[in-house]
Amino acid sequence: MNERDVTPSEHVDFFETPIRRLQSTYACILAVDEQGRSVTKGTAVFVSVGPHKFLVTARHVVRSRKLRRHRLLLMFSRLAPDGLAEIGEQTVPLTVPLELEIVWESKPLDVAFLKAPDRLGAMAGAKFFDGVVHADAATGLREGWREHHSDTTSLPYFVLGFPNFGHLIVEVQRRAETLSTTALPAYVTQLDPHSWDGHSTPAPQLWLEIDARENGLVIRADSSSQREISRKLFQRRRGEPEPLGGFSGGPVVVIGSDGEFLIGIVKQGKGLYGSLRAVASCWDDCFQAFGRWALKKSSVKRRRAR
């Protein structure tokens, strides 16, 4: 991966094309009631491991009783004529029914691998990260992170997903809902250079400070919907959910001149001491832990076959 130093406030305009490309790599896991109204949600990332395709998300998302007792849908961006994710306020997402089938999960990492719906792998609008390639990229980044980080510059990191501040209920009686996918630029503030051994607790974490300012260049408010989204992020009212909720399970990525790379899976996002923070598990830790489990499972099957 080739690095490029860019201040976070420059990110959104400069990286519009890669962000649109990334919007095809994740989806909203949406729980709906009998009337089709949203109940709760999270984000899931599309990952392939060899011929197998998975949805990777935060474990606490799929272990939520509120989510598990409702019908589930997978919603993600459809493609525009230019082959990138469609953008705009009135776009209609692609929707796939989701049966919750957990293949593997880790409590220390707060991550879960789900079997991807068969339909998803055949859809042009769904792009899957190669788990091996991106694990190698994450490991390389960890080893050299401090060399490319300062108080004024950073590699172009983004936190992506379907946060609560982008969820609007336009008409209460008719229950017209809008779910917005968002890419927020961020600084990495903590990144352990050593991969997780699978035993030590707590597992290493990736800490990020999100660069979003109400009067800055990152969050714009050019329409009534965008103004409400901005208000929900920066001026949360009593009784409203945590603005960064819904990012859980979403991808943390870094953009280089040679592509976009998955480096983490979001565990939590919240306001803290006047700033917006996110915590993620490093992708190479997640992938290696999954690999250890898969190898052990394969060994057990071979012994039983003898």
Side-chain angles (χ1 to χ4, degrees):
M1 179 180 67
N2 298 321
E3 293 84 6
R4 175 184 174 88
D5 285 352
V6 181
T7 57
S9 60
E10 298 177 88
H11 288 175
V12 172
D13 288 336
F14 192 88
F15 294 107
E16 179 178 322
T17 295
I19 287 172
R20 288 181 63 200
R21 195 156 46 231
L22 285 163
Q23 286 176 349
S24 295
T25 64
Y26 63 93
C28 178
I29 298 179
L30 184 68
V32 296
D33 63 16
E34 294 177 353
Q35 286 75 44
R37 300 174 299 188
S38 67
V39 177
T40 188
K41 66 181 181 302
T43 303
V45 186
F46 305 153
V47 174
S48 64
V49 181
H52 305 289
K53 289 181 166 50
F54 300 100
L55 304 175
V56 180
T57 187
R59 178 182 181 273
H60 73 264
V61 169
V62 294
R63 287 298 175 186
S64 163
R65 292 181 180 178
K66 195 174 183 181
L67 182 139
R68 293 172 70 91
R69 64 173 179 248
H70 288 91
R71 181 167 63 94
L72 301 180
L73 299 174
L74 202 62
M75 299 177 64
F76 57 102
S77 301
R78 64 176 63 244
L79 297 181
D82 62 1
L84 301 175
E86 195 173 37
I87 57 175
E89 292 189 23
Q90 302 299 323
T91 62
V92 179
L94 296 170
T95 304
V96 176
L98 176 63
E99 295 293 332
L100 200 60
E101 185 177 338
I102 299 175
V103 177
W104 172 82
E105 60 186 333
S106 168
K107 192 171 183 178
L109 294 170
D110 191 15
V111 68
F113 280 50
L114 315 179
K115 183 181 181 298
D118 292 336
R119 282 179 54 192
L120 191 66
M123 298 177 73
K127 309 297 183 184
F128 287 76
F129 288 112
D130 184 312
V132 177
V133 171
H134 293 271
D136 289 344
T139 299
L141 180 67
R142 293 172 82 155
E143 295 171 350
W145 166 66
R146 293 191 182 278
E147 298 176 19
H148 307 286
H149 179 81
S150 73
D151 292 337
T152 57
T153 61
S154 169
L155 294 177
Y157 301 99
F158 286 89
V159 177
L160 302 104
F162 290 81
N164 288 334
F165 69 81
H167 185 182
L168 306 181
I169 300 176
V170 182
E171 299 177 37
V172 177
Q173 290 184 345
R174 293 177 55 195
R175 189 74 179 192
E177 299 186 48
T178 300
L179 292 172
S180 300
T181 177
T182 305
L184 293 181
Y187 291 103
V188 170
T189 58
Q190 178 180 316
L191 179 56
D192 194 316
H194 305 293
S195 298
W196 187 46
D197 59 10
H199 303 289
S200 57
T201 55
Q205 296 187 122
L206 170 63
W207 287 79
L208 304 108
E209 182 171 349
I210 292 172
D211 184 63
R213 300 178 303 279
E214 192 169 10
N215 60 350
L217 298 174
V218 176
I219 298 294
R220 293 183 175 87
D222 300 327
S223 69
S224 59
S225 295
Q226 290 172 329
R227 286 192 291 272
E228 178 63 5
I229 287 172
S230 179
R231 197 278 308 162
K232 292 182 71 175
L233 175 59
F234 297 109
Q235 300 174 23
R236 176 187 178 188
R237 293 171 182 162
R238 181 175 296 181
E240 288 185 336
E242 168 62 50
L244 298 184
F247 268 129
S248 293
V252 178
V253 303
V254 62
I255 298 175
S257 61
D258 50 345
E260 304 86 46
F261 296 89
L262 175 67
I263 64 167
I265 302 296
V266 177
K267 299 165 63 173
Q268 185 182 28
K270 65 179 180 179
L272 185 66
Y273 304 122
S275 62
L276 300 171
R277 305 293 179 98
V279 183
S281 286
C282 296
W283 172 244
D284 54 341
D285 288 341
C286 299
F287 181 76
Q288 290 166 16
F290 172 75
R292 286 190 290 266
W293 167 83
L295 183 61
K296 183 177 179 180
K297 182 179 179 183
S298 177
S299 298
V300 170
K301 284 185 177 180
R302 285 197 299 269
R303 286 198 300 268
R304 288 177 178 173
R306 290 174 184 170

PDB file of all heavy atoms in Angstrom, residues 159-193:
ATOM      1  N   VAL A 159     -14.262   6.145   8.652  1.00  0.00           N
ATOM      2  CA  VAL A 159     -15.195   5.257   9.347  1.00  0.00           C
ATOM      3  C   VAL A 159     -16.488   5.298   8.548  1.00  0.00           C
ATOM      4  O   VAL A 159     -17.028   6.383   8.288  1.00  0.00           O
ATOM      5  CB  VAL A 159     -15.447   5.720  10.793  1.00  0.00           C
ATOM      6  CG1 VAL A 159     -16.464   4.824  11.479  1.00  0.00           C
ATOM      7  CG2 VAL A 159     -14.137   5.751  11.582  1.00  0.00           C
ATOM      8  N   LEU A 160     -16.982   4.122   8.136  1.00  0.00           N
ATOM      9  CA  LEU A 160     -18.159   4.066   7.266  1.00  0.00           C
ATOM     10  C   LEU A 160     -19.264   3.236   7.895  1.00  0.00           C
ATOM     11  O   LEU A 160     -19.002   2.310   8.670  1.00  0.00           O
ATOM     12  CB  LEU A 160     -17.788   3.477   5.904  1.00  0.00           C
ATOM     13  CG  LEU A 160     -16.694   4.199   5.130  1.00  0.00           C
ATOM     14  CD1 LEU A 160     -15.383   3.427   5.213  1.00  0.00           C
ATOM     15  CD2 LEU A 160     -17.076   4.385   3.670  1.00  0.00           C
ATOM     16  N   GLY A 161     -20.494   3.553   7.546  1.00  0.00           N
ATOM     17  CA  GLY A 161     -21.616   2.774   8.062  1.00  0.00           C
ATOM     18  C   GLY A 161     -22.931   3.522   7.955  1.00  0.00           C
ATOM     19  O   GLY A 161     -23.072   4.481   7.188  1.00  0.00           O
ATOM     20  N   PHE A 162     -23.899   3.055   8.744  1.00  0.00           N
ATOM     21  CA  PHE A 162     -25.254   3.600   8.743  1.00  0.00           C
ATOM     22  C   PHE A 162     -25.582   4.124  10.147  1.00  0.00           C
ATOM     23  O   PHE A 162     -26.294   3.477  10.906  1.00  0.00           O
ATOM     24  CB  PHE A 162     -26.255   2.530   8.320  1.00  0.00           C
ATOM     25  CG  PHE A 162     -26.166   2.151   6.874  1.00  0.00           C
ATOM     26  CD1 PHE A 162     -25.205   1.248   6.427  1.00  0.00           C
ATOM     27  CD2 PHE A 162     -27.029   2.707   5.941  1.00  0.00           C
ATOM     28  CE1 PHE A 162     -25.109   0.901   5.089  1.00  0.00           C
ATOM     29  CE2 PHE A 162     -26.945   2.361   4.598  1.00  0.00           C
ATOM     30  CZ  PHE A 162     -25.983   1.458   4.166  1.00  0.00           C
ATOM     31  N   PRO A 163     -25.063   5.308  10.509  1.00  0.00           N
ATOM     32  CA  PRO A 163     -25.211   5.808  11.883  1.00  0.00           C
ATOM     33  C   PRO A 163     -26.605   6.334  12.184  1.00  0.00           C
ATOM     34  O   PRO A 163     -27.378   6.678  11.288  1.00  0.00           O
ATOM     35  CB  PRO A 163     -24.182   6.942  11.938  1.00  0.00           C
ATOM     36  CG  PRO A 163     -24.143   7.452  10.527  1.00  0.00           C
ATOM     37  CD  PRO A 163     -24.280   6.223   9.657  1.00  0.00           C
ATOM     38  N   ASN A 164     -26.895   6.434  13.477  1.00  0.00           N
ATOM     39  CA  ASN A 164     -28.202   6.928  13.915  1.00  0.00           C
ATOM     40  C   ASN A 164     -28.456   8.371  13.489  1.00  0.00           C
ATOM     41  O   ASN A 164     -29.600   8.744  13.226  1.00  0.00           O
ATOM     42  CB  ASN A 164     -28.321   6.828  15.438  1.00  0.00           C
ATOM     43  CG  ASN A 164     -28.464   5.399  15.921  1.00  0.00           C
ATOM     44  OD1 ASN A 164     -28.933   4.535  15.192  1.00  0.00           O
ATOM     45  ND2 ASN A 164     -28.053   5.136  17.149  1.00  0.00           N
ATOM     46  N   PHE A 165     -27.411   9.187  13.422  1.00  0.00           N
ATOM     47  CA  PHE A 165     -27.665  10.590  13.079  1.00  0.00           C
ATOM     48  C   PHE A 165     -28.120  10.736  11.627  1.00  0.00           C
ATOM     49  O   PHE A 165     -28.683  11.759  11.244  1.00  0.00           O
ATOM     50  CB  PHE A 165     -26.442  11.466  13.373  1.00  0.00           C
ATOM     51  CG  PHE A 165     -25.245  11.243  12.477  1.00  0.00           C
ATOM     52  CD1 PHE A 165     -25.172  11.820  11.216  1.00  0.00           C
ATOM     53  CD2 PHE A 165     -24.172  10.475  12.921  1.00  0.00           C
ATOM     54  CE1 PHE A 165     -24.066  11.622  10.405  1.00  0.00           C
ATOM     55  CE2 PHE A 165     -23.059  10.280  12.120  1.00  0.00           C
ATOM     56  CZ  PHE A 165     -23.005  10.856  10.860  1.00  0.00           C
ATOM     57  N   GLY A 166     -27.902   9.709  10.803  1.00  0.00           N
ATOM     58  CA  GLY A 166     -28.371   9.738   9.426  1.00  0.00           C
ATOM     59  C   GLY A 166     -29.719   9.076   9.221  1.00  0.00           C
ATOM     60  O   GLY A 166     -30.184   8.934   8.093  1.00  0.00           O
ATOM     61  N   HIS A 167     -30.359   8.663  10.318  1.00  0.00           N
ATOM     62  CA  HIS A 167     -31.661   7.993  10.249  1.00  0.00           C
ATOM     63  C   HIS A 167     -32.753   9.021  10.545  1.00  0.00           C
ATOM     64  O   HIS A 167     -32.899   9.494  11.672  1.00  0.00           O
ATOM     65  CB  HIS A 167     -31.707   6.861  11.271  1.00  0.00           C
ATOM     66  CG  HIS A 167     -32.960   6.040  11.201  1.00  0.00           C
ATOM     67  ND1 HIS A 167     -33.208   4.999  12.058  1.00  0.00           N
ATOM     68  CD2 HIS A 167     -34.054   6.104  10.387  1.00  0.00           C
ATOM     69  CE1 HIS A 167     -34.381   4.468  11.785  1.00  0.00           C
ATOM     70  NE2 HIS A 167     -34.912   5.125  10.770  1.00  0.00           N
ATOM     71  N   LEU A 168     -33.518   9.375   9.534  1.00  0.00           N
ATOM     72  CA  LEU A 168     -34.554  10.398   9.662  1.00  0.00           C
ATOM     73  C   LEU A 168     -35.932   9.789   9.481  1.00  0.00           C
ATOM     74  O   LEU A 168     -36.139   8.948   8.606  1.00  0.00           O
ATOM     75  CB  LEU A 168     -34.362  11.503   8.613  1.00  0.00           C
ATOM     76  CG  LEU A 168     -32.990  12.186   8.564  1.00  0.00           C
ATOM     77  CD1 LEU A 168     -32.996  13.256   7.478  1.00  0.00           C
ATOM     78  CD2 LEU A 168     -32.626  12.785   9.914  1.00  0.00           C
ATOM     79  N   ILE A 169     -36.860  10.207  10.333  1.00  0.00           N
ATOM     80  CA  ILE A 169     -38.277   9.861  10.166  1.00  0.00           C
ATOM     81  C   ILE A 169     -38.962  11.129   9.693  1.00  0.00           C
ATOM     82  O   ILE A 169     -39.169  12.064  10.460  1.00  0.00           O
ATOM     83  CB  ILE A 169     -38.892   9.338  11.477  1.00  0.00           C
ATOM     84  CG1 ILE A 169     -38.137   8.093  11.940  1.00  0.00           C
ATOM     85  CG2 ILE A 169     -40.372   9.028  11.282  1.00  0.00           C
ATOM     86  CD1 ILE A 169     -38.603   7.554  13.279  1.00  0.00           C
ATOM     87  N   VAL A 170     -39.282  11.158   8.403  1.00  0.00           N
ATOM     88  CA  VAL A 170     -39.743  12.394   7.773  1.00  0.00           C
ATOM     89  C   VAL A 170     -41.188  12.705   8.153  1.00  0.00           C
ATOM     90  O   VAL A 170     -41.526  13.827   8.513  1.00  0.00           O
ATOM     91  CB  VAL A 170     -39.593  12.308   6.241  1.00  0.00           C
ATOM     92  CG1 VAL A 170     -40.023  13.617   5.588  1.00  0.00           C
ATOM     93  CG2 VAL A 170     -38.145  11.982   5.873  1.00  0.00           C
ATOM     94  N   GLU A 171     -42.057  11.704   8.086  1.00  0.00           N
ATOM     95  CA  GLU A 171     -43.465  11.894   8.438  1.00  0.00           C
ATOM     96  C   GLU A 171     -43.830  10.854   9.486  1.00  0.00           C
ATOM     97  O   GLU A 171     -43.832   9.653   9.192  1.00  0.00           O
ATOM     98  CB  GLU A 171     -44.352  11.741   7.202  1.00  0.00           C
ATOM     99  CG  GLU A 171     -44.049  12.756   6.101  1.00  0.00           C
ATOM    100  CD  GLU A 171     -44.906  12.524   4.865  1.00  0.00           C
ATOM    101  OE1 GLU A 171     -46.085  12.162   5.049  1.00  0.00           O
ATOM    102  OE2 GLU A 171     -44.403  12.694   3.759  1.00  0.00           O
ATOM    103  N   VAL A 172     -44.142  11.314  10.680  1.00  0.00           N
ATOM    104  CA  VAL A 172     -44.381  10.408  11.795  1.00  0.00           C
ATOM    105  C   VAL A 172     -45.576   9.502  11.543  1.00  0.00           C
ATOM    106  O   VAL A 172     -45.526   8.292  11.774  1.00  0.00           O
ATOM    107  CB  VAL A 172     -44.581  11.200  13.108  1.00  0.00           C
ATOM    108  CG1 VAL A 172     -44.909  10.242  14.248  1.00  0.00           C
ATOM    109  CG2 VAL A 172     -43.339  12.017  13.430  1.00  0.00           C
ATOM    110  N   GLN A 173     -46.705  10.056  11.050  1.00  0.00           N
ATOM    111  CA  GLN A 173     -47.919   9.267  10.863  1.00  0.00           C
ATOM    112  C   GLN A 173     -47.748   8.216   9.768  1.00  0.00           C
ATOM    113  O   GLN A 173     -48.111   7.054   9.931  1.00  0.00           O
ATOM    114  CB  GLN A 173     -49.102  10.189  10.544  1.00  0.00           C
ATOM    115  CG  GLN A 173     -49.528  11.038  11.743  1.00  0.00           C
ATOM    116  CD  GLN A 173     -50.759  11.864  11.418  1.00  0.00           C
ATOM    117  OE1 GLN A 173     -51.128  12.032  10.263  1.00  0.00           O
ATOM    118  NE2 GLN A 173     -51.398  12.379  12.461  1.00  0.00           N
ATOM    119  N   ARG A 174     -47.157   8.609   8.640  1.00  0.00           N
ATOM    120  CA  ARG A 174     -46.957   7.659   7.533  1.00  0.00           C
ATOM    121  C   ARG A 174     -45.659   6.868   7.697  1.00  0.00           C
ATOM    122  O   ARG A 174     -45.427   5.913   6.994  1.00  0.00           O
ATOM    123  CB  ARG A 174     -46.930   8.416   6.210  1.00  0.00           C
ATOM    124  CG  ARG A 174     -48.261   9.047   5.838  1.00  0.00           C
ATOM    125  CD  ARG A 174     -48.132   9.828   4.556  1.00  0.00           C
ATOM    126  NE  ARG A 174     -47.608   8.984   3.473  1.00  0.00           N
ATOM    127  CZ  ARG A 174     -47.123   9.460   2.342  1.00  0.00           C
ATOM    128  NH1 ARG A 174     -47.070  10.775   2.151  1.00  0.00           N
ATOM    129  NH2 ARG A 174     -46.680   8.642   1.412  1.00  0.00           N
ATOM    130  N   ARG A 175     -44.820   7.318   8.627  1.00  0.00           N
ATOM    131  CA  ARG A 175     -43.557   6.646   8.947  1.00  0.00           C
ATOM    132  C   ARG A 175     -42.678   6.513   7.696  1.00  0.00           C
ATOM    133  O   ARG A 175     -42.268   5.431   7.292  1.00  0.00           O
ATOM    134  CB  ARG A 175     -43.826   5.263   9.547  1.00  0.00           C
ATOM    135  CG  ARG A 175     -42.608   4.537  10.113  1.00  0.00           C
ATOM    136  CD  ARG A 175     -42.127   5.093  11.410  1.00  0.00           C
ATOM    137  NE  ARG A 175     -40.982   4.369  11.942  1.00  0.00           N
ATOM    138  CZ  ARG A 175     -40.515   4.511  13.176  1.00  0.00           C
ATOM    139  NH1 ARG A 175     -41.092   5.346  13.998  1.00  0.00           N
ATOM    140  NH2 ARG A 175     -39.464   3.820  13.563  1.00  0.00           N
ATOM    141  N   ALA A 176     -42.382   7.643   7.081  1.00  0.00           N
ATOM    142  CA  ALA A 176     -41.444   7.658   5.961  1.00  0.00           C
ATOM    143  C   ALA A 176     -40.038   7.804   6.536  1.00  0.00           C
ATOM    144  O   ALA A 176     -39.721   8.806   7.173  1.00  0.00           O
ATOM    145  CB  ALA A 176     -41.763   8.815   5.026  1.00  0.00           C
ATOM    146  N   GLU A 177     -39.206   6.782   6.313  1.00  0.00           N
ATOM    147  CA  GLU A 177     -37.883   6.764   6.920  1.00  0.00           C
ATOM    148  C   GLU A 177     -36.785   6.901   5.873  1.00  0.00           C
ATOM    149  O   GLU A 177     -36.919   6.413   4.755  1.00  0.00           O
ATOM    150  CB  GLU A 177     -37.654   5.455   7.692  1.00  0.00           C
ATOM    151  CG  GLU A 177     -38.638   5.247   8.828  1.00  0.00           C
ATOM    152  CD  GLU A 177     -38.294   4.019   9.669  1.00  0.00           C
ATOM    153  OE1 GLU A 177     -37.111   3.871  10.055  1.00  0.00           O
ATOM    154  OE2 GLU A 177     -39.199   3.217   9.931  1.00  0.00           O
ATOM    155  N   THR A 178     -35.719   7.570   6.280  1.00  0.00           N
ATOM    156  CA  THR A 178     -34.528   7.692   5.446  1.00  0.00           C
ATOM    157  C   THR A 178     -33.330   7.171   6.230  1.00  0.00           C
ATOM    158  O   THR A 178     -33.090   7.599   7.361  1.00  0.00           O
ATOM    159  CB  THR A 178     -34.270   9.160   5.047  1.00  0.00           C
ATOM    160  OG1 THR A 178     -35.378   9.658   4.311  1.00  0.00           O
ATOM    161  CG2 THR A 178     -33.009   9.274   4.207  1.00  0.00           C
ATOM    162  N   LEU A 179     -32.595   6.224   5.633  1.00  0.00           N
ATOM    163  CA  LEU A 179     -31.371   5.705   6.229  1.00  0.00           C
ATOM    164  C   LEU A 179     -30.201   6.176   5.378  1.00  0.00           C
ATOM    165  O   LEU A 179     -30.162   5.902   4.178  1.00  0.00           O
ATOM    166  CB  LEU A 179     -31.387   4.178   6.286  1.00  0.00           C
ATOM    167  CG  LEU A 179     -32.399   3.545   7.242  1.00  0.00           C
ATOM    168  CD1 LEU A 179     -32.424   2.036   7.052  1.00  0.00           C
ATOM    169  CD2 LEU A 179     -32.038   3.879   8.672  1.00  0.00           C
ATOM    170  N   SER A 180     -29.278   6.877   5.988  1.00  0.00           N
ATOM    171  CA  SER A 180     -28.157   7.437   5.241  1.00  0.00           C
ATOM    172  C   SER A 180     -26.873   6.673   5.543  1.00  0.00           C
ATOM    173  O   SER A 180     -26.573   6.383   6.701  1.00  0.00           O
ATOM    174  CB  SER A 180     -27.957   8.911   5.614  1.00  0.00           C
ATOM    175  OG  SER A 180     -29.113   9.668   5.329  1.00  0.00           O
ATOM    176  N   THR A 181     -26.134   6.360   4.487  1.00  0.00           N
ATOM    177  CA  THR A 181     -24.796   5.823   4.666  1.00  0.00           C
ATOM    178  C   THR A 181     -23.821   6.986   4.712  1.00  0.00           C
ATOM    179  O   THR A 181     -23.972   7.969   3.987  1.00  0.00           O
ATOM    180  CB  THR A 181     -24.428   4.854   3.538  1.00  0.00           C
ATOM    181  OG1 THR A 181     -23.079   4.411   3.728  1.00  0.00           O
ATOM    182  CG2 THR A 181     -24.539   5.493   2.173  1.00  0.00           C
ATOM    183  N   THR A 182     -22.841   6.887   5.587  1.00  0.00           N
ATOM    184  CA  THR A 182     -21.944   8.011   5.845  1.00  0.00           C
ATOM    185  C   THR A 182     -20.504   7.548   5.903  1.00  0.00           C
ATOM    186  O   THR A 182     -20.209   6.478   6.432  1.00  0.00           O
ATOM    187  CB  THR A 182     -22.306   8.693   7.187  1.00  0.00           C
ATOM    188  OG1 THR A 182     -23.687   9.060   7.164  1.00  0.00           O
ATOM    189  CG2 THR A 182     -21.469   9.934   7.422  1.00  0.00           C
ATOM    190  N   ALA A 183     -19.603   8.368   5.367  1.00  0.00           N
ATOM    191  CA  ALA A 183     -18.163   8.153   5.495  1.00  0.00           C
ATOM    192  C   ALA A 183     -17.577   9.354   6.222  1.00  0.00           C
ATOM    193  O   ALA A 183     -17.615  10.473   5.703  1.00  0.00           O
ATOM    194  CB  ALA A 183     -17.518   7.993   4.121  1.00  0.00           C
ATOM    195  N   LEU A 184     -17.073   9.140   7.421  1.00  0.00           N
ATOM    196  CA  LEU A 184     -16.492  10.228   8.198  1.00  0.00           C
ATOM    197  C   LEU A 184     -14.974  10.084   8.249  1.00  0.00           C
ATOM    198  O   LEU A 184     -14.458   9.021   8.600  1.00  0.00           O
ATOM    199  CB  LEU A 184     -17.044  10.221   9.628  1.00  0.00           C
ATOM    200  CG  LEU A 184     -18.529  10.558   9.792  1.00  0.00           C
ATOM    201  CD1 LEU A 184     -18.910  10.522  11.272  1.00  0.00           C
ATOM    202  CD2 LEU A 184     -18.840  11.935   9.208  1.00  0.00           C
ATOM    203  N   PRO A 185     -14.234  11.143   7.918  1.00  0.00           N
ATOM    204  CA  PRO A 185     -12.780  11.089   8.016  1.00  0.00           C
ATOM    205  C   PRO A 185     -12.353  11.053   9.473  1.00  0.00           C
ATOM    206  O   PRO A 185     -13.051  11.549  10.356  1.00  0.00           O
ATOM    207  CB  PRO A 185     -12.328  12.380   7.332  1.00  0.00           C
ATOM    208  CG  PRO A 185     -13.494  13.300   7.472  1.00  0.00           C
ATOM    209  CD  PRO A 185     -14.727  12.437   7.419  1.00  0.00           C
ATOM    210  N   ALA A 186     -11.196  10.467   9.727  1.00  0.00           N
ATOM    211  CA  ALA A 186     -10.773  10.276  11.109  1.00  0.00           C
ATOM    212  C   ALA A 186      -9.254  10.246  11.222  1.00  0.00           C
ATOM    213  O   ALA A 186      -8.538   9.990  10.243  1.00  0.00           O
ATOM    214  CB  ALA A 186     -11.356   8.971  11.662  1.00  0.00           C
ATOM    215  N   TYR A 187      -8.780  10.522  12.434  1.00  0.00           N
ATOM    216  CA  TYR A 187      -7.385  10.316  12.806  1.00  0.00           C
ATOM    217  C   TYR A 187      -7.289   9.032  13.627  1.00  0.00           C
ATOM    218  O   TYR A 187      -8.133   8.795  14.498  1.00  0.00           O
ATOM    219  CB  TYR A 187      -6.874  11.453  13.689  1.00  0.00           C
ATOM    220  CG  TYR A 187      -6.711  12.786  13.035  1.00  0.00           C
ATOM    221  CD1 TYR A 187      -7.646  13.804  13.242  1.00  0.00           C
ATOM    222  CD2 TYR A 187      -5.598  13.059  12.245  1.00  0.00           C
ATOM    223  CE1 TYR A 187      -7.483  15.054  12.668  1.00  0.00           C
ATOM    224  CE2 TYR A 187      -5.426  14.307  11.668  1.00  0.00           C
ATOM    225  CZ  TYR A 187      -6.370  15.307  11.883  1.00  0.00           C
ATOM    226  OH  TYR A 187      -6.209  16.539  11.312  1.00  0.00           O
ATOM    227  N   VAL A 188      -6.284   8.242  13.382  1.00  0.00           N
ATOM    228  CA  VAL A 188      -5.986   7.119  14.281  1.00  0.00           C
ATOM    229  C   VAL A 188      -5.174   7.672  15.438  1.00  0.00           C
ATOM    230  O   VAL A 188      -4.126   8.303  15.238  1.00  0.00           O
ATOM    231  CB  VAL A 188      -5.206   6.008  13.557  1.00  0.00           C
ATOM    232  CG1 VAL A 188      -4.700   4.964  14.553  1.00  0.00           C
ATOM    233  CG2 VAL A 188      -6.090   5.335  12.520  1.00  0.00           C
ATOM    234  N   THR A 189      -5.651   7.466  16.663  1.00  0.00           N
ATOM    235  CA  THR A 189      -4.941   7.969  17.842  1.00  0.00           C
ATOM    236  C   THR A 189      -4.240   6.866  18.619  1.00  0.00           C
ATOM    237  O   THR A 189      -3.364   7.150  19.437  1.00  0.00           O
ATOM    238  CB  THR A 189      -5.925   8.700  18.788  1.00  0.00           C
ATOM    239  OG1 THR A 189      -6.973   7.802  19.177  1.00  0.00           O
ATOM    240  CG2 THR A 189      -6.543   9.905  18.095  1.00  0.00           C
ATOM    241  N   GLN A 190      -4.628   5.611  18.382  1.00  0.00           N
ATOM    242  CA  GLN A 190      -3.949   4.492  19.042  1.00  0.00           C
ATOM    243  C   GLN A 190      -4.045   3.263  18.151  1.00  0.00           C
ATOM    244  O   GLN A 190      -5.117   2.902  17.693  1.00  0.00           O
ATOM    245  CB  GLN A 190      -4.578   4.194  20.409  1.00  0.00           C
ATOM    246  CG  GLN A 190      -3.955   3.006  21.132  1.00  0.00           C
ATOM    247  CD  GLN A 190      -4.613   2.742  22.479  1.00  0.00           C
ATOM    248  OE1 GLN A 190      -4.872   3.661  23.251  1.00  0.00           O
ATOM    249  NE2 GLN A 190      -4.908   1.495  22.761  1.00  0.00           N
ATOM    250  N   LEU A 191      -2.902   2.632  17.923  1.00  0.00           N
ATOM    251  CA  LEU A 191      -2.854   1.432  17.103  1.00  0.00           C
ATOM    252  C   LEU A 191      -1.681   0.585  17.574  1.00  0.00           C
ATOM    253  O   LEU A 191      -0.524   0.942  17.371  1.00  0.00           O
ATOM    254  CB  LEU A 191      -2.690   1.786  15.617  1.00  0.00           C
ATOM    255  CG  LEU A 191      -2.596   0.633  14.621  1.00  0.00           C
ATOM    256  CD1 LEU A 191      -3.805  -0.281  14.733  1.00  0.00           C
ATOM    257  CD2 LEU A 191      -2.476   1.173  13.198  1.00  0.00           C
ATOM    258  N   ASP A 192      -1.991  -0.520  18.246  1.00  0.00           N
ATOM    259  CA  ASP A 192      -0.956  -1.406  18.757  1.00  0.00           C
ATOM    260  C   ASP A 192      -0.185  -2.012  17.590  1.00  0.00           C
ATOM    261  O   ASP A 192      -0.779  -2.569  16.670  1.00  0.00           O
ATOM    262  CB  ASP A 192      -1.609  -2.515  19.589  1.00  0.00           C
ATOM    263  CG  ASP A 192      -0.606  -3.287  20.435  1.00  0.00           C
ATOM    264  OD1 ASP A 192       0.460  -3.627  19.899  1.00  0.00           O
ATOM    265  OD2 ASP A 192      -0.891  -3.549  21.617  1.00  0.00           O
ATOM    266  N   PRO A 193       1.162  -1.921  17.603  1.00  0.00           N
ATOM    267  CA  PRO A 193       1.939  -2.454  16.479  1.00  0.00           C
ATOM    268  C   PRO A 193       1.962  -3.975  16.410  1.00  0.00           C
ATOM    269  O   PRO A 193       2.339  -4.549  15.390  1.00  0.00           O
ATOM    270  CB  PRO A 193       3.345  -1.904  16.727  1.00  0.00           C
ATOM    271  CG  PRO A 193       3.409  -1.692  18.214  1.00  0.00           C
ATOM    272  CD  PRO A 193       2.022  -1.274  18.614  1.00  0.00           C
TER     273      PRO A 193
END
